[in-house]
Amino acid sequence: MTPREVVERWVALFNAADAAGLADLYHPEAINHQVTQDPIEGREAIRAMFEREFSAAKMVCIVETIHEAGEVAALEWRDPLGLRGCGFFTVRNGRIAFQRGYWDKLSFLKMHGLPIQ
């Protein structure tokens, strides 16, 4: 799959809250770094992160745009509650090797009635 196709599949699995399916899109040693948190290293740790997050809040990713350049796809997104963000996915051999995401964690926590950490 191209980086764009991987990100399109990622969005579909994210919106289905499919942690195992999402994890399968990552290289075994992938890194997912949401800048509001410490980086998560390894496919199994990434799967566990998604399981925790999906159990804490109903999350929906609405694609604004996807840009692709070489092995990187950039996803600009919003959610139904008004939160906006972007993610950068480095894809090698059809799997995500590195992901970095930018979004407002304080707004997310407030919107979902979660404790501010």
Side-chain angles (χ1 to χ4, degrees):
M1 288 191 289
T2 67
R4 179 184 188 89
E5 291 168 335
V6 170
V7 171
E8 288 170 343
R9 180 76 181 134
W10 185 94
V11 169
L13 292 165
F14 183 89
N15 287 340
D18 184 347
L22 283 165
D24 191 48
L25 293 177
Y26 290 82
H27 277 279
E29 293 83 34
I31 297 172
N32 183 320
H33 185 200
Q34 302 303 301
V35 298
T36 62
Q37 302 162 177
D38 291 331
I40 305 294
E41 298 185 34
R43 179 187 288 157
E44 288 308 308
I46 291 168
R47 179 195 49 74
M49 174 200 68
F50 281 121
E51 287 176 350
R52 282 189 308 275
E53 290 180 354
F54 291 142
S55 71
K58 169 72 173 151
M59 297 181 288
V60 176
C61 177
I62 300 168
V63 175
E64 291 282 326
T65 190
I66 299 173
H67 298 283
E68 183 179 48
E71 64 182 10
V72 177
L75 166 67
E76 184 179 355
W77 58 265
R78 64 181 170 86
D79 76 3
L81 301 176
L83 188 66
R84 302 179 81 83
C86 61
F88 297 88
F89 298 77
T90 301
V91 177
R92 296 189 182 114
N93 300 317
R95 297 214 185 270
I96 301 164
F98 183 76
Q99 177 184 354
R100 186 177 319 266
Y102 298 88
W103 46 279
D104 182 348
K105 185 174 183 177
L106 181 59
S107 293
F108 175 84
L109 294 172
K110 287 180 178 180
M111 287 175 174
H112 291 280
L114 297 170
I116 296 174
Q117 314 167 11

